Amino acid sequence: MSNKIATKDEIKSFLTDIFTKEKNISIDKLSPDRPLKELDIDSFGFLEVIFSIEHQYNISFPKNYEHLVTIQDVIDVTHDLVLSKQ
Amino acid sequence: MKHQRRVVVTGFGLVSPLGNTVDELATNIFAGKSGIKQFVGPYLDKLNCKVAAQADFDPGHYFEKKSDYSILDRVGQMALHASKEAVKHADLDMDKVVKDRTGVYVGTGMGGIHSVEDGYQTLFVEGENRLKPYTVLMCMYNSPAAAIATHFSISGPNLTFSTACSSSAVSIGQAMKDIRYGEIDVALAGGTDAILAYASIKSWEAIRTLAEEDKEDISKSCKPFSANRTGLVIGEGAATMILEELSHAQARGAHIYAEIIGYGAANDFKHIAVPSVEGQAAAMQKALDDSGLNPQLIQYINAHGTGTKFNDETETNAIKQIFGEHAYQLAVSSTKSMHGHLMGAAGVLESIITLLGMQRNELPPTINLEQPDPKCDLNNVPNQSQKIDNLEYAMSNSFAFGGTGATLIFKKSVGKHTA
């Protein structure tokens, strides 16, 4: 957990790590506008991704996050949550 | 023949303190080797009892991908591995079995206790406020059975039994009944327990049943039937048996290790933790009744034989009550002296050892039987295995905190048995 506010670039790079290393998704699939549904992760797999983000930035995603459609949406929501924590 | 549909054992797999293959287990058991050592794990310095029978089981070594085991507690990892090995050992093609005529029956005493403790550690010690998403699925008692059933796409019964130390004897018995009464033709039946976690060991310390460490040789700490016995040693592991309806096994040309001819479950109701002669005898009697067998034909009993003062004397007396003079003719050993008490996996592991003895015509020993106890005066196969002309009929006893006793009776050949 970092003390300074994470930038969107840092969040993106953290997410890229999670997707490539823990979920074995190839990096060329990870463009920001890529819909999450095309990433070949089931709903439980995505729960694990959310858990890793929450743990990293000490934030809590809302219970329902169906409005997150693309990778960029995840980055934006994470960034908003990090900012609102300050 | 008492029952029309007969049930046979066609293979088994295991994870145990004496090895994770059938061959390793057999070699170690009949050589009288101990798998009991000093516990390796967190908080060792805070444990009063540092003796344990741990399985040398690193999931990374046995599973192809981390994602295959990271969502399972150790209790489920071991059970799934043991089941895969059992299927291989039975040479059973799971693509050919009828999936809704196949069932999974797993016994476990304390389920995913490592994950429960990890969760509490995260929340209470580390002060975090969230748990891993799979926590519920790792902690729930039916997780091992679910992992097995999911892995093999089994759509018949998927059942979990939790009756403490008799859990896997019960799971085998209930699976046997479901085959006998026509519900299914094939079962993966057994048990698993991985309770060597700090708080869990502490709870066993509190009930004061654990063996004291043998100061000269820690591996000799469990001494069933010996006058200087001080208690049980906690073990961990999992084991699965493949059970089949006889004609199903014969049709595919399977090797048959034994027939399960009797199962008895009886409740020892007098006390939640103190065994009684009547309670233990009742389970043996029910199994004998179920088999229709003349008790004089039983040649060997793999005892519950925990190594506690109470159990071993009570069990000896219960055997005398059931068998009378024949108690002195048959052999009664406790292999827990070598592999420790596998709790929810004890009954199935000990049944496998019994079947290995039948195959070799050899009785597994009770090791560390240093001082004969006049109150435990049966042939306990002291310290070394004993050869026997033909081990045809054997019994395995499992008793438990909570009262559920379960006895299984095996017959080696599938010819008609003499009643």
Side-chain angles (χ1 to χ4, degrees):
Chain A
M1 267 167 277
S2 58
N3 287 324
K4 64 178 173 51
I5 297 170
T7 65
K8 286 194 179 185
D9 277 348
E10 284 164 347
I11 295 168
K12 185 182 169 194
S13 123
F14 177 75
L15 258 185
T16 305
D17 263 11
I18 296 280
F19 281 129
T20 54
K21 288 176 188 162
E22 288 183 24
K23 295 292 160 203
N24 301 318
I25 294 167
S26 89
I27 195 152
D28 47 286
K29 270 194 165 183
L30 296 177
S31 58
D33 56 348
R34 172 77 68 182
L36 297 164
K37 281 189 176 153
E38 290 177 13
L39 288 179
D40 195 27
I41 310 178
D42 65 14
S43 58
F44 266 104
F46 195 62
L47 262 182
E48 290 186 300
V49 173
I50 297 289
F51 173 77
S52 298
I53 300 169
E54 288 183 331
H55 189 78
Q56 174 72 11
Y57 298 108
N58 197 21
I59 54 175
S60 291
F61 268 64
K63 188 177 166 205
N64 186 339
Y65 42 76
E66 276 167 9
H67 57 288
L68 301 179
V69 178
T70 64
I71 293 177
Q72 189 61 49
D73 290 345
V74 179
I75 296 169
D76 291 345
V77 168
T78 302
H79 191 248
D80 287 351
L81 287 168
V82 169
L83 280 180
S84 67
K85 200 185 67 177
Q86 297 303 311
Chain B
M1 211 59 50
K2 219 179 151 192
H3 303 280
Q4 234 176 4
R5 281 170 59 91
R6 297 163 64 189
V7 182
V8 294
V9 182
T10 56
F12 24 84
L14 52 102
V15 171
S16 87
L18 291 171
N20 301 338
T21 65
V22 174
D23 287 347
E24 268 178 283
L25 175 73
T27 304
N28 287 327
I29 283 286
F30 292 98
K33 271 189 78 173
S34 171
I36 292 167
K37 292 178 184 148
Q38 187 178 69
F39 174 67
V40 178
Y43 301 107
L44 176 65
D45 55 322
K46 289 191 171 181
L47 292 175
N48 299 326
C49 176
K50 302 183 194 318
V51 193
Q54 286 173 290
D56 182 9
F57 180 79
D58 170 6
H61 179 72
Y62 293 102
F63 289 87
E64 240 172 76
K65 305 190 298 287
K66 194 172 178 206
S67 56
D68 291 342
Y69 66 84
S70 60
I71 59 165
L72 295 174
D73 184 275
R74 184 168 176 81
V75 76
Q77 295 168 352
M78 296 195 303
L80 179 54
H81 178 69
S83 299
K84 288 184 194 171
E85 289 299 301
V87 166
K88 273 192 238 164
H89 190 244
D91 202 16
L92 185 64
D93 184 346
M94 289 302 284
D95 291 331
K96 288 191 183 151
V97 302
V98 180
K99 296 300 175 76
D100 67 352
R101 299 278 304 165
T102 302
V104 177
Y105 299 71
V106 176
T108 185
M110 293 179 85
I113 191 77
H114 278 277
S115 299
V116 174
E117 287 196 22
D118 287 350
Y120 286 163
Q121 170 95 8
T122 303
L123 296 177
F124 299 140
V125 180
E126 291 158 16
E128 294 282 337
N129 66 351
R130 64 177 68 83
L131 295 174
K132 288 189 284 187
Y134 281 102
T135 302
V136 169
L137 305 181
M138 292 165 89
C139 291
M140 63 190 197
Y141 277 58
N142 60 328
S143 174
I148 297 163
T150 305
H151 178 81
F152 290 111
S153 308
I154 288 167
S155 56
N158 165 12
L159 299 173
T160 297
F161 300 87
S162 191
T163 60
C165 307
S166 58
S167 299
S168 57
V170 168
S171 74
I172 291 170
Q174 298 300 132
M176 184 271 265
K177 280 187 174 180
D178 279 357
I179 295 176
R180 188 188 267 175
Y181 300 136
E183 289 281 323
I184 52 167
D185 302 311
V186 180
L188 281 68
T192 182
D193 249 322
I195 72 162
L196 288 164
Y198 176 56
S200 149
I201 300 173
K202 276 286 166 197
S203 67
W204 281 90
E205 279 182 3
I207 201 165
R208 292 173 190 272
T209 55
L210 296 184
E212 287 166 20
E213 180 177 329
D214 185 308
K215 294 293 174 208
E216 282 169 23
D217 183 349
I218 194 168
S219 78
K220 294 183 173 175
S221 299
C222 185
K223 306 172 197 293
F225 302 116
S226 192
N228 60 345
R229 65 188 183 275
T230 58
L232 64 89
V233 170
I234 302 175
E236 62 168 1
T240 301
M241 276 184 163
I242 305 299
L243 310 187
E244 291 177 66
E245 193 274 322
L246 176 60
S247 65
H248 186 282
Q250 286 171 330
R252 68 178 190 92
H255 178 77
I256 293 169
Y257 289 87
E259 177 178 355
I260 307 179
I261 59 170
Y263 164 57
N267 190 40
D268 192 349
F269 56 83
K270 287 188 180 159
H271 190 280
I272 193 165
V274 182
S276 75
V277 171
E278 296 74 20
Q280 294 195 342
M284 286 186 262
Q285 188 60 56
K286 279 195 153 193
L288 283 165
D289 292 347
D290 182 47
S291 70
L293 193 71
N294 175 351
Q296 308 294 314
L297 291 174
I298 297 286
Q299 297 157 288
Y300 169 69
I301 301 175
N302 187 302
H304 186 54
T306 53
T308 61
K309 284 278 175 218
F310 271 126
N311 176 79
D312 297 359
E313 185 184 331
T314 308
E315 190 170 5
T316 300
N317 289 331
I319 291 167
K320 287 179 189 171
Q321 180 169 311
I322 294 296
F323 293 96
E325 273 305 304
H326 182 61
Y328 291 93
Q329 311 304 314
L330 48 76
V332 181
S333 72
S334 169
T335 51
K336 285 189 178 78
S337 54
M338 296 175 271
H339 52 65
H341 192 336
L342 266 66
M343 305 288 160
V348 60
L349 185 77
E350 291 158 22
S351 293
I352 290 170
I353 291 168
T354 302
L355 267 47
L356 292 171
M358 284 178 153
Q359 235 188 341
R360 302 159 65 109
N361 292 316
E362 190 171 3
L363 306 171
T366 306
I367 66 165
N368 313 321
L369 217 171
E370 296 155 350
Q371 299 172 17
D373 179 350
K375 289 175 178 159
C376 303
D377 58 346
L378 303 177
N379 172 13
N380 293 128
V381 197
N383 305 316
Q384 282 183 341
S385 70
Q386 293 172 6
K387 285 281 183 185
I388 179 171
D389 282 346
N390 179 30
L391 180 52
E392 179 68 17
Y393 294 101
M395 182 180 255
S396 178
N397 278 343
S398 296
F399 305 119
F401 281 170
T404 309
T407 294
L408 294 161
I409 302 176
F410 300 96
K411 178 183 190 303
K412 181 162 63 179
S413 62
V414 290
K416 287 191 174 180
H417 63 262
T418 329

